[in-house]
Amino acid sequence: MAAGELEGGKPLNELLNALARGTFHGHPGITEQLLRSQLYPEVPPEEFRPFLAKMRGILKSIASADMDFNQLEAFLTAQTKKQGGITSDQAAVISKFWKSHKTKIRESLMNQSRWNSGLRGLSWRVDGKSQSRHSAQIHTPVAIIELELGKYGQESEFLRLEFDEVKVNQILKMLSEVEDSISTLISQPN
Amino acid sequence: MALEGAPRSPILRQTPRCLPIARQQGRRTPCSVLVDFQWKLGMAVSSDICRSLKYPYVAVMLKVADHSGQVKTKCFEMTIPQFQNFYRQFKEIAAVIETV
């Protein structure tokens, strides 16, 4: 088998894409056999297996450390220098891949690390005043808010809540306090 | 690691009453009433799948009463951009409800 079979280029980029989908974004069914047959059909399984493990390990290390670009270059340079490491072509493909996929991978890792439900959506409606012929009661305007909540990998749960104007303003006041806390946190030195 | 935000606020405690029903396209869908709202600002530092998480989040705990008066607790988290969107939407709601 020619050494160039496992070089960088388009197959490696596709491999990293598939590894990211399987490892970080939760896509099932991305097997070693599938990857080899689709991307490296000429490479024997006993050579593809360690190569795949190496690439997966490198991608996981980069993602786990949330490497910035300086750290990334230092890490990949070290990988090119070690025994059984990667080639400089492969390093270039990995570097380019991380730069364009970092945000999305990080977002997936954050979602996986959140064990409570997340807020997936919010919609709302305001119902106006109404009056009954048989009753003197006049309904005051109400806001109906529907929250879509869900844990990672699970179906959404919908929660519909009703607020009058007083309650909306009470919530607003508390959300303002949250925002003040966020500003305080962000302004603190690390 | 959690950084404490404001102290717990009981300002929304109220007795649940019979709920008006929200209508949507002719179907009656029950609403719950918010009984209590608590929040916490936390910082996720590290986890087994990601050693360097480093992101702040807003955790919310709601107590809601359904049509039978039964109170349930619902918890969820928001990233900071999600929270900012949540806050912006509430401001819009407040602006609209004021004019109705």
Side-chain angles (χ1 to χ4, degrees):
Chain A
M1 197 270 309
E5 288 288 348
L6 288 174
E7 276 300 319
K10 193 170 175 226
L12 179 57
N13 191 61
E14 294 295 323
L15 183 75
L16 295 171
N17 249 314
L19 282 174
R21 285 202 303 276
T23 307
F24 304 119
H25 305 316
H27 290 214
I30 298 178
T31 62
E32 175 190 316
Q33 189 181 351
L34 180 73
L35 292 172
R36 191 182 69 80
S37 64
Q38 295 283 320
L39 300 172
Y40 295 93
E42 306 300 319
V43 177
E46 60 273 14
E47 289 197 32
F48 182 72
R49 189 168 301 127
F51 169 71
L52 180 66
K54 184 164 58 181
M55 290 303 146
R56 184 186 279 122
I58 285 173
L59 195 55
K60 277 180 141 176
S61 294
I62 295 169
S64 184
D66 190 32
M67 289 188 191
D68 61 30
F69 300 145
N70 289 333
Q71 290 168 320
L72 178 70
E73 294 309 316
F75 174 75
L76 289 175
T77 301
Q79 293 295 313
T80 61
K81 290 182 169 22
K82 64 187 246 191
Q83 182 75 12
I86 59 177
T87 66
S88 51
D89 280 351
Q90 289 167 342
V93 173
I94 295 168
S95 176
K96 191 173 168 197
F97 177 83
W98 178 244
K99 284 172 186 172
S100 46
H101 290 83
K102 176 183 162 122
T103 304
K104 199 169 167 216
I105 289 174
R106 180 164 165 74
E107 197 178 303
S108 283
L109 287 172
M110 283 162 61
N111 285 337
Q112 287 177 52
S113 299
R114 186 194 65 235
W115 297 342
N116 270 327
S117 293
L119 180 65
R120 290 179 177 167
L122 185 157
S123 53
W124 58 270
R125 188 180 86 220
V126 172
D127 283 359
K129 291 181 177 148
S130 62
Q131 200 163 355
S132 165
R133 184 158 69 100
H134 301 293
S135 164
Q137 183 184 25
I138 297 175
H139 297 128
T140 52
V142 289
I144 298 152
I145 295 166
E146 185 175 81
L147 303 176
E148 182 184 358
L149 308 176
K151 293 188 181 179
Y152 177 74
Q154 295 182 18
E155 284 189 9
S156 292
E157 173 194 2
F158 291 87
L159 180 63
R160 198 171 281 188
L161 301 171
E162 187 181 281
F163 297 82
D164 60 20
E165 190 174 351
V166 168
K167 195 172 277 184
V168 167
N169 287 317
Q170 285 177 333
I171 300 278
L172 260 188
K173 184 172 177 298
M174 286 204 285
L175 296 181
S176 165
E177 291 166 1
V178 178
E179 194 177 58
D180 288 343
S181 281
I182 292 170
S183 300
T184 304
L185 177 69
I186 289 170
S187 65
Q188 282 171 356
N190 286 331
Chain B
M1 170 183 129
L3 303 176
E4 285 299 322
R8 291 172 45 162
S9 171
I11 66 172
L12 289 180
R13 294 193 196 285
Q14 67 177 63
T15 306
R17 52 185 171 85
C18 291
L19 299 171
I21 303 294
R23 297 183 198 190
Q24 187 175 15
Q25 297 177 348
R27 289 181 298 162
R28 291 175 176 266
T29 310
C31 278
S32 296
V33 167
L34 183 67
V35 174
D36 194 22
F37 178 109
Q38 294 178 31
W39 64 269
K40 176 176 75 177
L41 178 63
M43 175 71 81
V45 174
S46 185
S47 78
D48 59 334
I49 57 164
C50 185
R51 292 290 185 269
S52 179
L53 278 173
K54 294 180 305 186
Y55 73 89
Y57 62 91
V58 178
V60 171
M61 185 169 78
L62 306 177
K63 287 201 177 133
V64 299
D66 64 18
H67 59 279
S68 69
Q70 187 184 19
V71 177
K72 290 183 183 170
T73 300
K74 303 282 182 188
C75 298
F76 63 93
E77 290 179 16
M78 295 179 270
T79 61
I80 300 307
Q82 285 174 336
F83 166 76
Q84 286 164 342
N85 180 52
F86 186 80
Y87 188 19
R88 186 175 57 247
Q89 301 244 38
F90 258 89
K91 286 183 197 170
E92 280 181 39
I93 293 167
V96 168
I97 205 170
E98 195 181 352
T99 62
V100 170

